[in-house]
Amino acid sequence: MTAAAQSVGALQEALRTHSRVLPRGAGTKSALSVPADGVTSLDLGGHCGIVDYDPAELTFTARAGTPVREVETALSAERQHLPFDPPWRDATLGGVVAAGTSGPASYRHGGVRDFVIGVDFLDGTGTLVHGGGRVVKNAAGFDLPKLMVGSMGRLGILVALTFKVFPRPEAWTTIRAQSADLESALEQARHLARGPITLDALELEPPGRLWIRVSGPPRTLAPRCERLIRMLDADIERFDGHADARIWSAAREVAWAPAGAAVVKAALTPSRVATLDAELVVAGAARRYSRAATVAWIAWPPQRSLAELDRLLGRHGLTGLALTGPAGSGLLGARTGGAFAHRVRRALDPDDRFPEV
Amino acid sequence: MSLPLLLEGLASLFPPERLLTGPAELAVYESDALTSFRARPPAVVLPETGEEVVQTVRLCHEHGVPFVPRGSGTSLSGGSLPLQDGIVIALNRLDRILRIDPEESIAVVEPGVINRRVTEAAAEHGLLYAPDPSSQSVCSIGGNLAFNSGGAHCLRHGMTSNHVLGLKAVLPDGEVVRLGGESLESVGPDWLGLFVGSEGLFGIALEVTLRLVAAPEAVRTVLATYANLAAAGDAVARIVADGLLPVAMEIMDKLAIEAAACVVNGIPDVPALLIVELEGERALVDADAERLDAAIAASGALEARATEDPAERVEIWRGRKSAFSAVGRLSPDYLVQDGVVPRTRLGETLAAIERLSSERGLRVANVFHAGDGNLHPLILFDGAEPGALQRAEDLAGDILRLCVRVGGSITGEHGVGVEKLAYLLELTPPEDVELMCRLRRAVDPAELANRGKALPVADEAMSA
């Protein structure tokens, strides 16, 4: 069943009249937004629009159903941007926060958890509550904005969000560095991550290809790229202007994932990439290692069950989250939070109105 | 609740020299950096291992006795103020850096480790632990975590919460949990993000995994002087409008400068002072420096001096970071406030504070993180003068209400503690407080962990 809501009142009404609900934004992440039987899908797509944006404050507030694309257009006009370039530009802000998805540029300044500073949400009792605020620093009360990051619509229904934003770089350029194998590419990534050059993105396309993006005043780019190239032992190609933009636009749309595959992200650390990758190769999964190999993006083949990936990640002590593909609980592999998670969830949703985390 | 039974249990857990019950030994623990609040606890324990902390918390839970976790006691909001009917768990002896892993750029430390020790240990590997509260040479990581401490450089680096990747913690009933991990990425609900900054209400961190970043290649600090505070504020607005992203932008007013000059040499005697710092890759710092210099020149600075010399930079920051304690040279007592306002409302807020200050007849020194709108008005008073503390507290209240009225917050980095609890209740919608109390009681039904801080305890909430 589906219910659409364009106002907080309508959302509260829907929460009152349906026994179990799951919010949905634009539906770009089917694994998290398609409800199970007996759960009503609450469509927030109509609850959209930027509520407040003062460029001098470097913050904006928007309704949860606002598409990322709309926000980026507004910010871009003021030479600002969301520095973590959330994947899937058709996604809504609420969906980005609820899924906790950050794109390649989160390498430089951090991910969605580092930029969301205020949330308004409905808890499981239908009460509208607020966390954080509209100022960039706020230590009053629990950090509910962070808790909502990755909450998958299962701890509350996001209604409005406030983000801090940053000035948009004047220009970008991209270097593709091709190494012989995974080991050598990982070594170069590590070298760059510890090095002096400020990178916007550092993505590893296994086995041996690194995508490196830098930004800044246009006249700094050429000498910095030369310096960067001197640090690398690989075949180099450089992309500017439209070519650069196309590469990252495709990366944000996860265009590399084969059609039908379930896209899963998993948290990891660089030293764990090699052993994980070997198993993913055997399973026939396409993958990218993002943010200097601290997050794996895995395209799990449709002919394999996610239960298999759940076990695989579990064996490595890694936690994953299915974003696209079949509807499910979302989380895969090792779980953290234990009793703390259980108690917090019970406080936010005492009557089990949202699906299990 | 049975305090005697708890003390009996603790006596079997700790040798006498680590279970303090004598008045002289306890006196040290009566207050933290918010010295106007004092309470003598019946006992202080000094655990040396995480397991001892867990056992202590379990005993407190069993006997229904509240506990106050304490790091270095530098809280400016009374975050580690003891209770007369609860024990203090002093975590200073859990001071081991368990692991520095330069390959993964992480440090795993115990809660009693001093902030600066992490910075120094990271520096040996060319890495940086970014959060730098003014008290960094004495404050502990556990306290930083509990209060989500900031610092001058959080303008670009973020707060403590942006640098904590994972932790092992004991909940208020003695259950041990792990939150987060070692990755920069978090997956699923950010339980860790909720725990950080909860002012000790959710339990005690036993092991903390911190994120380290590559140390910057270049750091350039600019010290600019102004004829008045408004001009310094305008310079900050100009820098932001120009699209620059410094790591720090700090302002000190005349009184704060006067105070700092008592303890640090070479501070210019001017009405207002602006510190702006750029850091990062050499080519980017150089490019930004040109624009920054132009913005400052256009802002009507009396004088501007830029330096990359480490010794000079240390001196500039020493002047800034000593300002709090140096105010003690100008006045027998002072209250430090921590309100936040939207950046664009800084000018009017400072003018309003000046007005309030003269109305109440109390001097206010201003030292603040101008880049993120976080004010630190220092209200000077003489506690020996009858009614002076009350007038200072009234003025502090006026300032906090003002911050909230313009869309800000009552605290940016010091936390609510005991000091701002009344203002939290006055200025936060009741349903938001109710939800936070519900979360707290779900984790700690008996409200044993740091009772009386950050949130009202159950019966107070009813009557509020």
Side-chain angles (χ1 to χ4, degrees), chain A residues 165-239:
Chain A
V165 299
F166 276 170
R168 186 181 145 92
E170 290 171 65
W172 285 272
T173 190
T174 294
I175 286 169
R176 189 180 70 194
Q178 181 70 52
S179 300
D181 52 27
L182 181 69
E183 195 187 339
S184 142
L186 274 170
E187 185 47 46
Q188 313 238 13
R190 229 189 316 259
H191 185 51
L192 290 178
R194 298 274 315 270
I197 301 180
T198 302
L199 310 177
D200 278 35
L202 178 52
E203 303 273 302
L204 168 56
E205 176 186 343
R209 182 173 283 179
L210 288 180
W211 293 96
I212 307 153
R213 198 180 200 197
V214 294
S215 71
R219 68 193 157 87
T220 66
L221 294 180
R224 292 171 61 213
C225 279
E226 279 163 33
R227 187 176 177 203
L228 184 60
I229 291 164
R230 282 196 301 273
M231 292 176 66
L232 292 163
D233 175 23
D235 287 335
I236 301 295
E237 190 161 350
R238 188 177 150 184
F239 304 86

Side-chain angles (χ1 to χ4, degrees), chain A residues 57 113-114 123 130 137-139 146 150 190 194 198 224 227 265 268-271 291 294 337 343 347, chain B residues 103-104 125 161-162 173 178 183 185-186 188-190 217 281 342-344 374 409 411 413 432 438 443:
Chain A
E57 286 297 341
R113 84 186 289 270
D114 303 302
D123 68 9
H130 316 270
K137 249 171 124 177
N138 191 349
K146 282 210 178 53
R190 229 189 316 259
R194 298 274 315 270
T198 302
R224 292 171 61 213
R227 187 176 177 203
K265 73 160 197 170
L268 79 172
T269 57
S271 67
R291 231 175 151 177
T294 56
R343 294 175 200 178
Chain B
E103 292 299 312
E104 309 276 56
H125 302 277
S161 193
N162 306 102
D173 61 353
R178 281 185 186 274
S183 176
E185 186 80 5
S186 87
D190 197 344
E217 180 180 28
E281 183 185 345
R343 296 174 240 243
T344 51
N374 188 188
S409 165
T411 172
E413 55 187 6
D432 297 354
R438 218 186 322 145
V443 176

Side-chain angles (χ1 to χ4, degrees), chain A residues 82-160:
Chain A
L82 272 177
F84 59 95
D85 59 1
W88 293 294
R89 255 166 293 190
D90 288 335
T92 62
L93 288 178
V96 167
V97 170
T101 39
S102 309
S106 57
Y107 174 71
R108 180 166 179 185
H109 292 297
V112 52
R113 84 186 289 270
D114 303 302
F115 285 88
V116 60
I117 58 173
V119 288
D120 294 354
F121 66 97
L122 298 176
D123 68 9
T125 70
T127 309
L128 177 65
V129 285
H130 316 270
R134 292 191 180 189
V135 282
V136 296
K137 249 171 124 177
N138 191 349
F142 296 142
D143 198 340
L144 298 173
K146 282 210 178 53
L147 177 64
M148 286 296 128
V149 173
S151 61
M152 307 181 287
R154 284 144 168 96
L155 296 177
I157 299 173
L158 294 168
V159 171

Side-chain angles (χ1 to χ4, degrees), chain A residues 54-59 79-80 99-102 106-110 113-115 121 123-125 127-131 134-144 146-152 155 164-167 170 187 190 193-199 215-217 219-220 224 227 265-272 291 294-295 297 319-321 331 335-350 357, chain B residues 102-105 125-127 147-148 150-151 154-156 158-159 161-164 171-173 175 177-180 182-199 201-202 211 214 217 240-245 280-284 287-288 290-291 338 340-345 369 371-374 407-416 424 429 431-432 435-440 442-444 455:
Chain A
D54 179 355
E57 286 297 341
L58 292 164
T59 61
R79 294 187 299 137
Q80 296 181 348
T101 39
S102 309
S106 57
Y107 174 71
R108 180 166 179 185
H109 292 297
R113 84 186 289 270
D114 303 302
F115 285 88
F121 66 97
D123 68 9
T125 70
T127 309
L128 177 65
V129 285
H130 316 270
R134 292 191 180 189
V135 282
V136 296
K137 249 171 124 177
N138 191 349
F142 296 142
D143 198 340
L144 298 173
K146 282 210 178 53
L147 177 64
M148 286 296 128
V149 173
S151 61
M152 307 181 287
L155 296 177
K164 64 173 179 174
V165 299
F166 276 170
E170 290 171 65
E187 185 47 46
R190 229 189 316 259
R194 298 274 315 270
I197 301 180
T198 302
L199 310 177
S215 71
R219 68 193 157 87
T220 66
R224 292 171 61 213
R227 187 176 177 203
K265 73 160 197 170
L268 79 172
T269 57
S271 67
R272 289 167 165 159
R291 231 175 151 177
T294 56
V295 52
W297 285 77
T319 309
L321 178 67
L331 286 173
R335 309 297 172 93
T336 64
F340 184 67
H342 177 72
R343 294 175 200 178
V344 168
R345 188 184 166 275
R346 206 174 50 203
L348 286 168
D349 183 21
V357 168
Chain B
E103 292 299 312
E104 309 276 56
S105 296
H125 302 277
L127 295 166
F147 282 78
N148 190 18
C154 63
L155 179 58
R156 196 168 82 196
M159 312 281 287
S161 193
N162 306 102
H163 299 270
V164 175
L171 300 182
D173 61 353
E175 177 138 1
V177 295
R178 281 185 186 274
L179 310 178
E182 294 188 348
S183 176
L184 279 183
E185 186 80 5
S186 87
V187 174
D190 197 344
W191 312 115
L192 172 73
L194 178 65
F195 193 98
V196 177
S198 57
E199 305 200 6
L201 267 54
F202 289 146
R211 167 190 173 214
E217 180 180 28
V240 170
D242 203 29
L244 286 164
L245 198 59
E281 183 185 345
R282 163 59 59 198
L284 286 179
D288 284 352
E290 279 180 33
R291 289 165 60 197
D338 178 40
V340 187
V341 297
R343 296 174 240 243
T344 51
R345 312 295 292 270
H369 308 302
D372 41 30
N374 188 188
S409 165
I410 59 172
T411 172
E413 55 187 6
H414 297 170
V416 173
L424 179 87
E431 61 276 17
D432 297 354
L435 174 73
M436 288 193 278
C437 288
R438 218 186 322 145
L439 282 167
R440 189 263 185 94
V443 176
D444 180 13
L455 284 176

Side-chain angles (χ1 to χ4, degrees), chain B residues 110-272:
Chain B
E110 290 186 324
V113 172
I114 302 302
N115 175 299
R116 178 163 283 164
R117 270 188 65 211
V118 182
T119 312
E120 286 166 357
E124 287 173 24
H125 302 277
L127 295 166
L128 170 73
Y129 176 63
D132 66 332
S134 291
S135 54
Q136 69 197 108
S137 57
V138 286
C139 64
S140 70
I141 292 295
N144 291 174
L145 185 146
F147 282 78
N148 190 18
S149 302
H153 292 77
C154 63
L155 179 58
R156 196 168 82 196
H157 286 301
M159 312 281 287
T160 298
S161 193
N162 306 102
H163 299 270
V164 175
L165 300 176
L167 58 86
K168 177 179 158 187
V170 56
L171 300 182
D173 61 353
E175 177 138 1
V176 175
V177 295
R178 281 185 186 274
L179 310 178
E182 294 188 348
S183 176
L184 279 183
E185 186 80 5
S186 87
V187 174
D190 197 344
W191 312 115
L192 172 73
L194 178 65
F195 193 98
V196 177
S198 57
E199 305 200 6
L201 267 54
F202 289 146
I204 301 177
L206 303 171
E207 282 177 28
V208 189
T209 304
L210 299 169
R211 167 190 173 214
L212 307 175
V213 296
E217 180 180 28
V219 185
R220 189 170 191 271
T221 309
V222 179
L223 184 71
T225 57
Y226 289 88
N228 58 66
L229 204 52
D234 287 347
V236 169
R238 221 174 252 277
I239 292 163
V240 170
D242 203 29
L244 286 164
L245 198 59
V247 279
M249 285 200 271
E250 305 280 307
I251 292 180
M252 293 165 74
D253 74 356
K254 190 167 175 45
L255 205 48
I257 294 167
E258 216 176 283
C262 298
V263 293
V264 181
N265 292 327
I267 301 220
D269 180 18
V270 289

